[in-house]
Amino acid sequence: MGEVFSMIQGGLNISTLSGTSWKQVISNQILPEFIFEVDTSLGDGLAEFEFSPSTSGTVDYTIEWGDTTSTVVSAAGSTNHTYSSGGIYEIKITTVSGITNYNFNGSSDRAKLIDITNWGIYTGLTSFKDFLRDCDNIGLLSASDIPVLSSVTTFENIVRDSLNVDINFTGWDFSNIQSFKAAFRDAPQLLGTGFENVGVSSSAIDLSLFLTRNGILNKDLSLWDVSGVTGMWGTFNDSLFDGNISNWDTSSVTRFEDTFTAASFSGDLSLWSFASATTLLRTFKDATLFNSYVNLSVHSATTLISLFEGATIYNQDLSDMKVSTVTNMSNLFNGTALDNTNYRAMLQGWTGWNGSAPTKTLQSSVAVHFGTAQVECGSTEWDIRQYLIGTLGWTITDGGVIETDACKFIFQVDTSLGDGLAEFEFIPSTSGTVDYTIEWGDATSTVVSAGGATNHVYASGGIYEIKLTIVSGILSYNFYGSSDRLKLIDVLNWGTYSVPSFNAAFRSCTNLGSLTATDSPSLAIGCSFQSAFRTCSNLNINFTNWDLSNVTIFDLAFADCTSLTGVGVGGLGISSVCTNLI
């Protein structure tokens, strides 16, 4: 009994010991010293060892070197010992005061550490920061007792970069630990038995880089209380972790960058809160097994760059996601499985589209990536997409538009008119990169990539419906320039291509009658209507759905259109900048 108390003299109150019963100590079931083993053949191979703990205040501890010699230490700094020969030695540390962290990472001989066989009863430890960091030759710790962690607040880098370390955490108490930053990062052999029951509490505030590139620690952590955590950047980055964390209270977390980047996580995060998030960068980037709904309806982040990029199976409806303050969503869904249905739902939800206009305020000039998802041309979602691009200046990257007839400029010709030949010439005004396709109405088509006239000869005369799918280059349809303008009899659909000019486009198309198109032509800002339909003597148009607010010149637009009744002309939206309205 006297031997035990001589080891713990110096005012230590053993009745306050946490985790280790003082009765066990007295009965010699638990040894009071901190005991570890070293192999001097490792590291630099010299028969010596350096012990360099972190200290504070009055330093008073004794080192038994395992060769019948000992050193009493009363000052901060490193203590070096040279052995008479190399080998494996058991070193015992009996501490009265001063040591705050055993900190083997601070020793030049950390590569010689091979085991911790006893934690002891010392209560003065306040930090495990860098404790076993880079100690590559230590494996599964054989100590059967548990460390006294009642005053320890940080586990930062505790076993970081220790390639072979493993710890049985059964009985450990993490309730006072505040920082777990990079605690188990790059510890590929850490199985961590009992890790799920270590009592993480609301004291914890930092889980950043917690399990980054951890190979096998994979536990149910649903008992952990992370309600006080503010940092989760890189927490599971590139790790194999796939345990249960579905009920974690993340409402205090502000940093979520790279949290699950390249992780093997596939769990449910639908209950997680991002309400305090100010940073949501690459949160699920390259998380190829992840496909859980996440509630991003409330957050304070202004950038969502690469949030799900490379998450190859991700496909969720995030139409409730808050984007009103977001200024950059580049690569948001790039490389995901986002489908058309969820894409379209997000366009609707983000804008609060009421059928013709948005009800929510969004930022201008936002870049966003929707993977390969598409919208149908002429659909409500297409209208929303056009609003975001055209009105708000968004840059939208997606799978493009599913071309339907609603996108195309469609008109009808009767080859019996004009010169009566079974052919038609289309000669639009063009500029820049010319790219459009003509479907001639006889199951043939022509892809056009250069300016000038395109002629088509039919097998027989008749009435044909011609469809234009325009990518770029057409300035004006310019039927006035075609030798076959008298064959034009109707416009069935104006389509979605924004035409820069209607200047004399249909002039002298005297066989053009009542137009059956129910949509409005899409007109670029500054579009000219000068002589647009001049001398179309049989023309009649229902202007009810037309919008001419972008037109600036109207002179002679409908001159000599003697059959024009002008239904709906009052709602054309003619701009106050329009000139020469005749």
Coordinates of all heavy atoms in Angstrom, one line a residue, residues 421-498:
L421 N -43.0 25.7 -110.2 CA -42.1 24.5 -110.1 C -42.1 23.9 -108.7 O -42.3 24.5 -107.7 CB -40.6 25.0 -110.4 CG -40.4 25.7 -111.8 CD1 -39.0 26.2 -111.9 CD2 -40.7 24.6 -112.9
A422 N -41.9 22.6 -108.7 CA -41.9 21.8 -107.5 C -40.6 22.0 -106.7 O -39.8 21.0 -106.6 CB -42.2 20.3 -107.7
E423 N -40.3 23.2 -106.3 CA -39.1 23.5 -105.6 C -39.3 24.7 -104.7 O -40.3 25.4 -104.9 CB -38.0 23.7 -106.6 CG -38.2 24.9 -107.5 CD -37.2 25.0 -108.6 OE1 -36.6 24.0 -109.0 OE2 -36.9 26.2 -109.0
F424 N -38.4 24.9 -103.7 CA -38.4 26.1 -102.9 C -37.0 26.5 -102.5 O -36.1 25.7 -102.2 CB -39.2 25.8 -101.6 CG -39.5 27.1 -100.8 CD1 -40.5 27.9 -101.2 CD2 -38.7 27.4 -99.7 CE1 -40.7 29.1 -100.5 CE2 -38.9 28.6 -99.0 CZ -39.9 29.4 -99.4
E425 N -36.9 27.9 -102.6 CA -35.6 28.5 -102.2 C -35.7 29.2 -100.9 O -36.6 30.1 -100.8 CB -35.1 29.4 -103.3 CG -33.9 30.2 -103.0 CD -33.6 31.3 -104.0 OE1 -34.5 32.2 -104.1 OE2 -32.5 31.3 -104.6
F426 N -34.8 28.9 -99.9 CA -34.8 29.7 -98.7 C -33.5 30.4 -98.6 O -32.4 29.8 -98.7 CB -35.0 28.7 -97.5 CG -35.0 29.4 -96.2 CD1 -36.0 30.3 -95.8 CD2 -34.0 29.1 -95.2 CE1 -36.1 30.9 -94.6 CE2 -34.1 29.8 -93.9 CZ -35.1 30.7 -93.6
I427 N -33.6 31.7 -98.4 CA -32.3 32.5 -98.5 C -32.4 33.6 -97.4 O -32.6 34.8 -97.6 CB -32.1 33.2 -99.9 CG1 -30.8 33.9 -99.9 CG2 -33.3 34.0 -100.3 CD1 -30.4 34.4 -101.3
P428 N -32.2 33.2 -96.1 CA -32.2 34.1 -95.0 C -31.0 35.0 -95.0 O -29.9 34.7 -95.6 CB -32.2 33.2 -93.8 CG -31.4 32.0 -94.2 CD -31.8 31.8 -95.7
S429 N -31.1 36.2 -94.3 CA -29.9 37.0 -94.0 C -29.2 36.4 -92.9 O -29.8 35.9 -91.9 CB -30.4 38.4 -93.6 OG -31.1 39.0 -94.7
T430 N -27.9 36.3 -93.0 CA -27.1 35.6 -91.9 C -25.9 36.4 -91.5 O -25.4 37.3 -92.2 CB -26.6 34.2 -92.4 OG1 -25.8 34.4 -93.6 CG2 -27.8 33.3 -92.8
S431 N -25.3 36.0 -90.4 CA -24.1 36.6 -89.9 C -23.4 35.7 -88.9 O -24.1 34.9 -88.1 CB -24.4 37.9 -89.2 OG -23.2 38.5 -88.6
G432 N -22.1 35.7 -88.8 CA -21.4 34.9 -87.8 C -21.5 33.4 -88.1 O -21.6 33.0 -89.3
T433 N -21.5 32.6 -87.1 CA -21.6 31.1 -87.2 C -23.0 30.7 -87.6 O -24.0 30.9 -86.9 CB -21.2 30.4 -85.9 OG1 -19.9 30.8 -85.6 CG2 -21.3 28.9 -86.1
V434 N -23.1 30.2 -88.8 CA -24.4 29.7 -89.3 C -24.7 28.3 -89.0 O -23.8 27.4 -89.3 CB -24.5 30.0 -90.9 CG1 -25.8 29.4 -91.4 CG2 -24.3 31.4 -91.2
D435 N -25.8 28.0 -88.4 CA -26.0 26.6 -87.9 C -27.6 26.4 -87.8 O -28.2 26.9 -86.8 CB -25.4 26.3 -86.6 CG -25.5 24.8 -86.2 OD1 -26.2 24.1 -86.9 OD2 -25.0 24.5 -85.1
Y436 N -28.2 25.9 -88.8 CA -29.6 25.6 -88.8 C -29.9 24.4 -89.6 O -29.1 24.0 -90.5 CB -30.4 26.8 -89.1 CG -30.3 27.3 -90.5 CD1 -31.2 26.9 -91.5 CD2 -29.4 28.2 -90.9 CE1 -31.1 27.3 -92.8 CE2 -29.3 28.7 -92.2 CZ -30.2 28.3 -93.2 OH -30.1 28.8 -94.4
T437 N -31.1 23.8 -89.4 CA -31.5 22.6 -90.1 C -32.9 22.9 -90.7 O -33.8 23.4 -90.0 CB -31.6 21.4 -89.2 OG1 -30.3 21.1 -88.6 CG2 -32.0 20.1 -90.0
I438 N -33.1 22.5 -92.0 CA -34.3 22.6 -92.6 C -34.9 21.2 -92.9 O -34.3 20.4 -93.5 CB -34.2 23.3 -94.0 CG1 -33.4 24.6 -93.9 CG2 -35.6 23.6 -94.6 CD1 -33.1 25.3 -95.3
E439 N -36.1 21.0 -92.3 CA -36.9 19.8 -92.7 C -37.9 20.3 -93.8 O -38.8 21.1 -93.5 CB -37.7 19.3 -91.4 CG -36.7 18.9 -90.3 CD -37.5 18.6 -89.0 OE1 -38.2 17.6 -89.0 OE2 -37.4 19.4 -88.1
W440 N -37.8 19.6 -94.9 CA -38.5 20.1 -96.1 C -40.0 19.7 -96.2 O -40.7 20.1 -97.1 CB -37.8 19.7 -97.4 CG -36.4 20.4 -97.5 CD1 -35.2 19.8 -97.3 CD2 -36.2 21.7 -97.8 NE1 -34.2 20.7 -97.5 CE2 -34.8 21.9 -97.8 CE3 -37.0 22.8 -98.1 CZ2 -34.2 23.1 -98.1 CZ3 -36.4 24.1 -98.4 CH2 -35.0 24.2 -98.4
G441 N -40.4 18.8 -95.3 CA -41.8 18.3 -95.3 C -42.0 17.1 -96.2 O -43.1 16.7 -96.4
D442 N -40.9 16.6 -96.7 CA -41.0 15.4 -97.6 C -40.1 14.3 -97.0 O -39.6 13.4 -97.8 CB -40.7 15.7 -99.0 CG -39.3 16.2 -99.2 OD1 -38.6 16.4 -98.2 OD2 -38.9 16.4 -100.4
A443 N -39.9 14.3 -95.7 CA -39.0 13.3 -95.0 C -37.5 13.5 -95.3 O -36.7 12.6 -95.0 CB -39.4 11.9 -95.4
T444 N -37.2 14.6 -95.9 CA -35.8 15.0 -96.1 C -35.4 16.2 -95.4 O -36.3 17.0 -95.0 CB -35.4 15.2 -97.6 OG1 -36.1 16.3 -98.1 CG2 -35.9 13.9 -98.4
S445 N -34.1 16.4 -95.1 CA -33.7 17.6 -94.4 C -32.3 18.0 -94.9 O -31.6 17.2 -95.5 CB -33.7 17.3 -92.9 OG -32.7 16.3 -92.6
T446 N -32.0 19.2 -94.6 CA -30.7 19.8 -94.9 C -30.1 20.5 -93.8 O -30.8 21.4 -93.1 CB -30.8 20.8 -96.1 OG1 -31.4 20.1 -97.2 CG2 -29.4 21.3 -96.5
V447 N -28.8 20.2 -93.4 CA -28.1 21.0 -92.4 C -27.3 22.1 -93.1 O -26.6 21.8 -94.0 CB -27.2 20.0 -91.6 CG1 -26.4 20.9 -90.6 CG2 -28.0 18.9 -90.9
V448 N -27.5 23.3 -92.6 CA -26.9 24.4 -93.3 C -25.9 25.1 -92.3 O -26.2 25.4 -91.2 CB -28.0 25.5 -93.6 CG1 -27.3 26.7 -94.4 CG2 -29.1 24.9 -94.5
S449 N -24.7 25.3 -92.9 CA -23.6 25.9 -92.1 C -22.9 27.0 -92.8 O -21.8 27.5 -92.4 CB -22.6 24.8 -91.7 OG -22.0 24.2 -92.9
A450 N -23.6 27.6 -93.8 CA -23.0 28.7 -94.5 C -24.1 29.6 -95.0 O -25.3 29.2 -95.1 CB -22.2 28.3 -95.7
G451 N -23.8 30.9 -95.2 CA -24.8 31.8 -95.6 C -25.2 31.6 -97.1 O -24.5 30.8 -97.8
G452 N -26.2 32.2 -97.6 CA -26.6 32.1 -98.9 C -27.9 31.3 -99.1 O -28.6 30.9 -98.1
A453 N -28.3 31.0 -100.3 CA -29.6 30.3 -100.6 C -29.4 28.8 -100.5 O -28.4 28.2 -100.8 CB -30.0 30.7 -102.0
T454 N -30.5 28.2 -100.0 CA -30.6 26.7 -100.0 C -31.8 26.3 -100.8 O -32.9 26.8 -100.5 CB -30.7 26.2 -98.6 OG1 -29.6 26.6 -97.8 CG2 -30.8 24.7 -98.5
N455 N -31.6 25.5 -101.8 CA -32.7 25.2 -102.7 C -33.1 23.7 -102.5 O -32.2 22.9 -102.3 CB -32.3 25.4 -104.2 CG -32.0 26.8 -104.5 OD1 -32.9 27.6 -104.8 ND2 -30.7 27.2 -104.5
H456 N -34.4 23.4 -102.6 CA -34.8 22.0 -102.5 C -35.8 21.7 -103.6 O -36.7 22.5 -103.9 CB -35.5 21.8 -101.2 CG -35.9 20.4 -101.0 ND1 -35.0 19.3 -100.8 CD2 -37.1 19.8 -100.9 CE1 -35.7 18.2 -100.6 NE2 -37.0 18.4 -100.7
V457 N -35.6 20.6 -104.3 CA -36.5 20.2 -105.3 C -37.4 19.0 -104.8 O -36.8 18.0 -104.3 CB -35.7 19.8 -106.6 CG1 -36.7 19.2 -107.7 CG2 -34.9 20.9 -107.1
Y458 N -38.7 19.1 -104.9 CA -39.6 18.1 -104.5 C -39.9 17.0 -105.6 O -39.7 17.4 -106.8 CB -40.9 18.7 -104.0 CG -40.8 19.5 -102.8 CD1 -40.6 20.9 -102.9 CD2 -40.8 18.9 -101.5 CE1 -40.5 21.7 -101.7 CE2 -40.7 19.7 -100.4 CZ -40.5 21.1 -100.5 OH -40.4 21.8 -99.3
A459 N -40.2 15.9 -105.2 CA -40.5 14.8 -106.2 C -41.8 15.2 -107.0 O -42.0 14.8 -108.2 CB -40.7 13.5 -105.5
S460 N -42.7 15.9 -106.3 CA -43.9 16.4 -107.0 C -44.4 17.6 -106.3 O -44.0 17.9 -105.2 CB -45.0 15.3 -106.9 OG -45.3 15.0 -105.5
G461 N -45.1 18.4 -107.0 CA -45.7 19.6 -106.5 C -46.7 19.4 -105.4 O -47.3 18.3 -105.3
G462 N -47.0 20.5 -104.6 CA -48.0 20.3 -103.6 C -47.8 21.3 -102.5 O -46.9 22.2 -102.6
I463 N -48.5 21.1 -101.4 CA -48.3 21.9 -100.2 C -47.4 21.2 -99.2 O -47.7 20.1 -98.9 CB -49.7 22.2 -99.6 CG1 -50.6 23.1 -100.5 CG2 -49.6 23.0 -98.2 CD1 -52.0 23.3 -100.1
Y464 N -46.4 21.9 -98.7 CA -45.4 21.3 -97.8 C -45.2 22.2 -96.6 O -45.3 23.4 -96.7 CB -44.1 21.1 -98.5 CG -44.1 20.1 -99.6 CD1 -44.4 20.5 -101.0 CD2 -43.9 18.8 -99.4 CE1 -44.4 19.6 -102.0 CE2 -44.0 17.8 -100.4 CZ -44.2 18.2 -101.7 OH -44.3 17.3 -102.7
E465 N -45.0 21.5 -95.5 CA -44.8 22.1 -94.2 C -43.3 22.1 -93.9 O -42.7 21.0 -93.8 CB -45.6 21.4 -93.1 CG -45.5 22.1 -91.7 CD -46.4 21.3 -90.7 OE1 -47.6 21.4 -90.8 OE2 -45.8 20.7 -89.8
I466 N -42.6 23.2 -93.9 CA -41.2 23.3 -93.7 C -40.9 23.8 -92.3 O -41.5 24.8 -91.8 CB -40.6 24.3 -94.8 CG1 -40.9 23.8 -96.2 CG2 -39.1 24.5 -94.5 CD1 -40.4 24.7 -97.3
K467 N -39.9 23.1 -91.7 CA -39.6 23.4 -90.3 C -38.1 23.8 -90.2 O -37.2 23.1 -90.7 CB -39.8 22.2 -89.4 CG -41.3 21.7 -89.4 CD -41.5 20.5 -88.5 CE -42.9 20.0 -88.6 NZ -43.1 18.8 -87.7
L468 N -37.8 24.8 -89.5 CA -36.4 25.3 -89.2 C -36.1 25.1 -87.8 O -36.8 25.7 -86.9 CB -36.3 26.8 -89.6 CG -35.8 27.1 -91.1 CD1 -36.8 26.6 -92.1 CD2 -35.5 28.6 -91.2
T469 N -35.0 24.4 -87.5 CA -34.4 24.3 -86.2 C -33.1 25.2 -86.2 O -32.2 24.8 -86.9 CB -34.1 22.9 -85.8 OG1 -35.3 22.1 -85.8 CG2 -33.5 22.9 -84.4
I470 N -33.1 26.3 -85.5 CA -32.0 27.3 -85.7 C -31.2 27.3 -84.4 O -31.7 27.5 -83.3 CB -32.6 28.7 -85.9 CG1 -33.6 28.6 -87.1 CG2 -31.5 29.7 -86.2 CD1 -34.4 29.9 -87.3
V471 N -29.9 27.1 -84.6 CA -29.0 27.3 -83.5 C -28.4 28.7 -83.5 O -28.3 29.3 -82.4 CB -27.8 26.2 -83.6 CG1 -26.8 26.4 -82.5 CG2 -28.4 24.8 -83.5
S472 N -27.9 29.1 -84.6 CA -27.3 30.4 -84.7 C -27.2 30.9 -86.1 O -27.3 30.1 -87.1 CB -25.9 30.4 -84.1 OG -25.0 29.5 -84.8
G473 N -26.9 32.2 -86.3 CA -26.5 32.8 -87.6 C -27.6 33.5 -88.4 O -27.3 34.3 -89.2
I474 N -28.9 33.2 -88.2 CA -29.9 33.8 -89.0 C -30.3 35.2 -88.4 O -30.6 35.3 -87.2 CB -31.2 32.9 -89.1 CG1 -30.9 31.7 -89.9 CG2 -32.4 33.7 -89.6 CD1 -32.1 30.8 -90.1
L475 N -30.2 36.2 -89.2 CA -30.5 37.6 -88.8 C -32.0 37.9 -89.1 O -32.6 38.6 -88.4 CB -29.6 38.6 -89.5 CG -28.1 38.5 -89.2 CD1 -27.4 39.6 -90.0 CD2 -27.9 38.8 -87.7
S476 N -32.4 37.4 -90.3 CA -33.8 37.6 -90.7 C -34.2 36.5 -91.7 O -33.4 36.0 -92.4 CB -33.9 39.0 -91.5 OG -35.1 39.1 -92.1
Y477 N -35.5 36.2 -91.6 CA -36.0 35.1 -92.5 C -36.0 35.5 -94.0 O -35.9 34.7 -94.9 CB -37.4 34.6 -92.1 CG -37.4 34.0 -90.7 CD1 -38.3 34.5 -89.7 CD2 -36.5 33.0 -90.3 CE1 -38.3 34.0 -88.5 CE2 -36.5 32.5 -89.1 CZ -37.4 33.0 -88.1 OH -37.4 32.4 -86.9
N478 N -36.1 36.8 -94.2 CA -35.9 37.4 -95.6 C -36.5 36.6 -96.7 O -35.9 36.3 -97.7 CB -34.4 37.5 -95.8 CG -34.0 38.3 -97.1 OD1 -34.8 39.2 -97.4 ND2 -32.9 37.9 -97.7
F479 N -37.8 36.3 -96.6 CA -38.5 35.7 -97.7 C -38.6 36.7 -98.9 O -38.7 36.2 -100.1 CB -39.9 35.3 -97.3 CG -40.0 34.1 -96.4 CD1 -40.1 34.3 -95.0 CD2 -39.9 32.8 -96.9 CE1 -40.1 33.2 -94.1 CE2 -39.9 31.7 -96.0 CZ -40.0 31.9 -94.6
Y480 N -38.5 38.0 -98.6 CA -38.5 39.0 -99.7 C -37.3 38.7 -100.7 O -37.4 39.0 -101.9 CB -38.4 40.4 -99.1 CG -38.4 41.5 -100.1 CD1 -39.5 41.7 -100.9 CD2 -37.3 42.4 -100.2 CE1 -39.5 42.7 -101.9 CE2 -37.3 43.4 -101.1 CZ -38.5 43.6 -101.9 OH -38.5 44.6 -102.9
G481 N -36.2 38.2 -100.2 CA -35.1 37.9 -101.0 C -35.2 36.6 -101.8 O -34.3 36.3 -102.6
S482 N -36.2 35.8 -101.6 CA -36.3 34.5 -102.2 C -37.2 34.6 -103.5 O -38.2 35.3 -103.6 CB -37.0 33.5 -101.3 OG -37.4 32.3 -102.0
S483 N -36.7 34.0 -104.5 CA -37.5 34.0 -105.8 C -38.8 33.2 -105.7 O -39.6 33.3 -106.6 CB -36.6 33.4 -106.9 OG -36.3 32.0 -106.6
D484 N -38.9 32.5 -104.6 CA -40.1 31.7 -104.3 C -41.0 32.3 -103.3 O -41.8 31.5 -102.7 CB -39.7 30.2 -104.0 CG -39.1 29.5 -105.1 OD1 -39.6 29.6 -106.3 OD2 -38.2 28.7 -104.9
R485 N -40.9 33.6 -103.0 CA -41.7 34.2 -101.9 C -43.2 34.1 -102.2 O -44.0 34.0 -101.2 CB -41.3 35.6 -101.7 CG -41.6 36.5 -102.9 CD -41.1 38.0 -102.6 NE -41.2 38.9 -103.7 CZ -40.2 39.0 -104.6 NH1 -39.1 38.4 -104.4 NH2 -40.4 39.9 -105.6
L486 N -43.6 33.9 -103.4 CA -45.1 33.8 -103.7 C -45.6 32.5 -103.3 O -46.9 32.3 -103.3 CB -45.3 34.1 -105.2 CG -45.0 35.5 -105.7 CD1 -45.3 35.7 -107.2 CD2 -45.7 36.6 -104.8
K487 N -44.8 31.5 -103.0 CA -45.2 30.2 -102.6 C -45.5 30.1 -101.1 O -46.1 29.1 -100.7 CB -44.2 29.1 -103.0 CG -43.9 29.0 -104.5 CD -42.8 28.0 -104.8 CE -42.5 28.0 -106.3 NZ -41.5 27.1 -106.7
L488 N -45.1 31.1 -100.4 CA -45.4 31.1 -98.9 C -46.8 31.4 -98.7 O -47.3 32.5 -99.1 CB -44.5 32.2 -98.3 CG -44.6 32.3 -96.7 CD1 -44.2 31.1 -96.0 CD2 -43.9 33.6 -96.2
I489 N -47.5 30.5 -97.9 CA -49.0 30.7 -97.7 C -49.4 30.8 -96.2 O -50.4 31.3 -95.9 CB -49.8 29.6 -98.4 CG1 -49.4 28.2 -97.8 CG2 -49.6 29.6 -99.9 CD1 -50.3 27.1 -98.3
D490 N -48.5 30.4 -95.3 CA -48.8 30.4 -93.9 C -47.6 30.3 -93.0 O -46.6 29.7 -93.4 CB -49.8 29.3 -93.6 CG -50.6 29.5 -92.3 OD1 -50.4 30.6 -91.6 OD2 -51.4 28.6 -91.9
V491 N -47.7 30.8 -91.8 CA -46.8 30.6 -90.7 C -47.5 29.9 -89.6 O -48.5 30.4 -89.1 CB -46.2 31.9 -90.2 CG1 -45.3 31.6 -89.0 CG2 -45.3 32.6 -91.2
L492 N -47.1 28.6 -89.3 CA -47.8 27.8 -88.4 C -47.2 27.9 -87.0 O -47.9 27.7 -86.0 CB -47.6 26.3 -88.8 CG -48.1 26.0 -90.3 CD1 -47.9 24.5 -90.6 CD2 -49.6 26.4 -90.5
N493 N -45.9 28.3 -86.9 CA -45.3 28.4 -85.5 C -44.1 29.3 -85.7 O -43.3 29.1 -86.6 CB -44.9 27.0 -85.0 CG -44.6 27.1 -83.5 OD1 -45.5 27.2 -82.7 ND2 -43.3 27.0 -83.2
W494 N -44.0 30.3 -84.8 CA -42.9 31.2 -84.8 C -41.6 30.6 -84.2 O -40.5 31.0 -84.5 CB -43.2 32.5 -84.2 CG -44.2 33.3 -85.0 CD1 -45.5 33.5 -84.7 CD2 -43.9 34.0 -86.2 NE1 -46.1 34.3 -85.6 CE2 -45.2 34.6 -86.6 CE3 -42.8 34.2 -87.0 CZ2 -45.3 35.4 -87.7 CZ3 -42.9 35.0 -88.1 CH2 -44.1 35.6 -88.5
G495 N -41.8 29.8 -83.2 CA -40.7 29.1 -82.5 C -40.0 30.0 -81.5 O -40.5 31.1 -81.2
T496 N -38.8 29.6 -81.0 CA -38.2 30.2 -79.9 C -36.9 31.0 -80.3 O -36.3 31.6 -79.4 CB -37.8 29.2 -78.8 OG1 -37.0 28.1 -79.5 CG2 -39.1 28.5 -78.3
Y497 N -36.5 30.9 -81.5 CA -35.2 31.5 -81.9 C -35.5 33.1 -81.9 O -36.5 33.5 -82.5 CB -34.8 31.1 -83.3 CG -33.5 31.7 -83.8 CD1 -32.3 31.4 -83.2 CD2 -33.5 32.7 -84.8 CE1 -31.1 32.0 -83.6 CE2 -32.4 33.3 -85.3 CZ -31.2 33.0 -84.7 OH -30.0 33.6 -85.1
S498 N -34.6 33.8 -81.3 CA -34.7 35.2 -81.2 C -34.2 35.9 -82.4 O -33.0 36.0 -82.6 CB -34.0 35.7 -79.9 OG -34.3 37.1 -79.7

